[in-house]
Amino acid sequence: MKRIFIMLLIACSAFTTISAQQKGKQDNVPFNVKSLFWTIIQTWGDPNEVYSVNKNPETNQIESSVRITTFSADNDKFPHMAGKTYLNTSVISKSFKDDEPKSYQILHLSPGDNKRFSLKAVNENGESETYNIRNNSEEEMWLMCCKNPQNPKLRDAYAIKWVITKEGTKVNGMIYQITSLRPDKYEKPLDYSKRMFKIEGRVGDEIKDSLYNIYIAESREALYNLEDHEYVACIPVVNKRFEWQTELTKPCVGRLRCIFPDGSLCSAWIDLDFVPGETYHITVHNGYYDEDKDYERRVGRQSGKSLIAETVEVADVVPAEYQKATAVQPQDWRNSLAPQLKAQIELKAELVQMNIEKIKASYKAIGAEMQGMRDHYRIGTIYEDILKQNKELDKKYQDFITLVQDYAIPMDELPGLYKEILKFYNEQNQGLNEYFKSFGYSRESKPARKLQKYLNDQLEKYIKEMEKSLQ
């Protein structure tokens, strides 16, 4: 009798343990959401659903599964519970909220929200598939992610989206039930992000760059020796943006070189320090680019850590074997310039001159107008254009000056450059004074006054720069 009692006690203990384990497993099951999905699928689901299950052949445990069901229902009947519709009584919302304690992620996107949402499913073999759950702002979506009750390494994702047709008579949607590895089981660890270098780029509206070749080398010299075809990636420009990233174990040097729509390589390029764990933000324009000043200051050419600082320039880099002006006597520095550097200086000077000629042509248009109808509106519009043209000219001035300073062309050459800049601004001011003699400082002359203020600010800025160069 005692033996039987002991056996019963052991059996009861084992049963209690098993019940507790099963209860623990069931704690992760979102019964309300699953019941909701079952009702919708049984009533309105398309039988031609996507359904797949992968199991471990040895343990028979599920490693991944996908079930995607499309449904369509009449709006006034979708779906009924106790005589009321789910939509009107927010039963879908209630089901997800009631099961929220069983989840580790829950998300609701309402119509009008522009966010898209995709779900990545990865199995034990590393194979992955991405499912675009929400594709447009008209859809409403609910998502819940829970630990799989049988295998805690897996994630059970439950999602539903729907949209009411324009006529208001139909509700069309999809239900997703996806089991896969939990993201924290396959995503790269934190130190991976510390090794990642990324470029986030934009291109200006004025240019039509379509692709960028990316080059990488361990040193400046190695980068200069790379051939045109030795790029590591070719990145497309989409909606005036481009992105690229790579994992690095140490700082390197890299190059961006544009490919034009006709397939030809740009004669200029951009060289940068590629630093692990950092992101470089860049905007490329016609003949110059907006650098990431914070990046350059922290880890780039202004940080003292740069691998390319000695030969970095705004839109191109000259090979190391070409001697820089710092090693040349002032009297013969022009003859010592490398052919590529000469070409760059000439190109940038030509861009400046083209901008100046464009401004002069605009002033001629004003002169013709003053000799004719003297249309205040047209004259004001031209002055607004001249202001924009001067701002573009200033960028080209700064681009040219940066190139000169980076290559340490003798400082006694700079005052002459600044004098030419100041001379052109003064010429414009004189023309404006003639205009004010004719029209005065009336309301119609507001664009001209804005232009003159800008010119005066520029004169002050470049006088200070010239004084600094003299020091």
Side-chain angles (χ1 to χ4, degrees), residues 382-391 450-451 454:
I382 298 174
Y383 273 127
E384 289 174 351
D385 289 339
I386 293 174
L387 177 58
K388 293 177 183 177
Q389 292 162 5
N390 270 284
K391 290 179 178 179
K450 287 179 65 176
L451 172 60
Y454 176 80

Side-chain angles (χ1 to χ4, degrees), residues 56-336:
N56 186 303
E58 295 181 358
T59 64
N60 204 39
Q61 277 195 331
I62 290 178
E63 294 184 343
S64 65
S65 67
V66 176
R67 186 181 183 185
I68 303 174
T69 311
T70 302
F71 65 85
S72 180
D74 293 335
N75 189 16
D76 59 346
K77 298 178 181 179
F78 175 75
H80 283 283
M81 177 177 283
K84 296 181 179 179
T85 66
Y86 277 66
L87 287 179
N88 292 338
T89 58
S90 300
V91 175
I92 294 178
S93 170
K94 186 176 186 303
S95 298
F96 276 85
K97 289 179 179 178
D98 287 347
D99 284 338
E100 181 179 355
K102 301 179 179 182
S103 70
Y104 65 83
Q105 180 184 7
I106 190 166
L107 175 65
H108 176 224
L109 295 175
S110 302
D113 191 323
N114 290 322
K115 291 179 182 176
R116 308 292 191 265
F117 183 82
S118 61
L119 193 71
K120 185 177 181 180
V122 180
N123 63 20
E124 294 278 3
N125 297 324
E127 299 170 344
S128 66
E129 187 74 34
T130 300
Y131 299 92
N132 295 318
I133 308 294
R134 188 174 190 257
N135 300 309
N136 60 69
S137 61
E138 296 177 358
E139 297 173 337
E140 184 161 1
M141 185 201 82
W142 276 93
L143 166 84
M144 172 177 287
C145 293
C146 312
K147 284 185 180 180
N148 182 275
Q150 304 300 324
N151 186 348
K153 292 195 302 182
L154 302 181
R155 170 193 65 187
D156 290 339
Y158 304 90
I160 181 172
K161 69 173 181 181
W162 71 92
V163 63
I164 301 175
T165 60
K166 293 181 179 180
E167 298 79 12
T169 58
K170 287 284 186 180
V171 176
N172 298 323
M174 298 181 75
I175 289 174
Y176 300 82
Q177 299 177 83
I178 301 173
T179 297
S180 63
L181 277 178
R182 291 207 328 257
D184 58 295
K185 297 297 181 182
Y186 64 79
E187 286 180 343
K188 296 290 186 178
L190 182 61
D191 63 343
Y192 176 79
S193 64
K194 292 180 180 178
R195 297 193 298 268
M196 187 63 66
F197 168 73
K198 186 175 183 180
I199 294 173
E200 293 183 354
R202 298 183 179 187
V203 299
D205 293 334
E206 73 277 11
I207 59 177
K208 297 180 180 180
D209 294 358
S210 58
L211 295 166
Y212 278 90
N213 280 349
I214 307 291
Y215 302 80
I216 296 181
E218 292 189 356
S219 66
R220 184 183 62 229
E221 290 75 19
L223 181 67
Y224 299 149
N225 289 325
L226 291 178
E227 299 291 337
D228 290 348
H229 66 277
E230 294 182 292
Y231 54 87
V232 297
C234 185
I235 311 302
V237 177
V238 180
N239 295 327
K240 295 293 183 179
R241 296 173 182 267
F242 62 95
E243 289 188 3
W244 178 76
Q245 63 183 25
T246 189
E247 188 178 357
L248 300 174
T249 57
K250 61 181 180 180
C252 300
V253 292
R255 173 174 296 165
L256 283 73
R257 192 170 185 184
C258 167
I259 302 177
F260 295 127
D262 64 1
S264 61
L265 273 171
C266 181
S267 59
W269 52 79
I270 301 167
D271 282 6
L272 303 170
D273 288 283
F274 285 12
V275 181
E278 297 287 345
T279 299
Y280 197 99
H281 300 89
I282 185 171
T283 301
V284 183
H285 299 282
N286 187 12
Y288 68 99
Y289 71 91
D290 297 333
E291 67 179 8
D292 189 330
K293 294 182 179 179
D294 177 64
Y295 182 101
E296 297 290 5
R297 176 177 50 78
R298 289 186 298 102
V299 296
R301 62 190 181 197
Q302 299 169 15
S303 66
K305 309 170 187 176
S306 174
L307 299 177
I308 57 172
E310 291 186 6
T311 53
V312 71
E313 57 182 281
V314 173
D316 205 348
V317 170
V318 175
E321 61 267 21
Y322 292 146
Q323 193 174 30
K324 287 178 57 178
T326 49
V328 183
Q329 296 300 318
Q331 62 268 22
D332 62 356
W333 70 270
R334 289 183 179 82
N335 296 328
S336 69

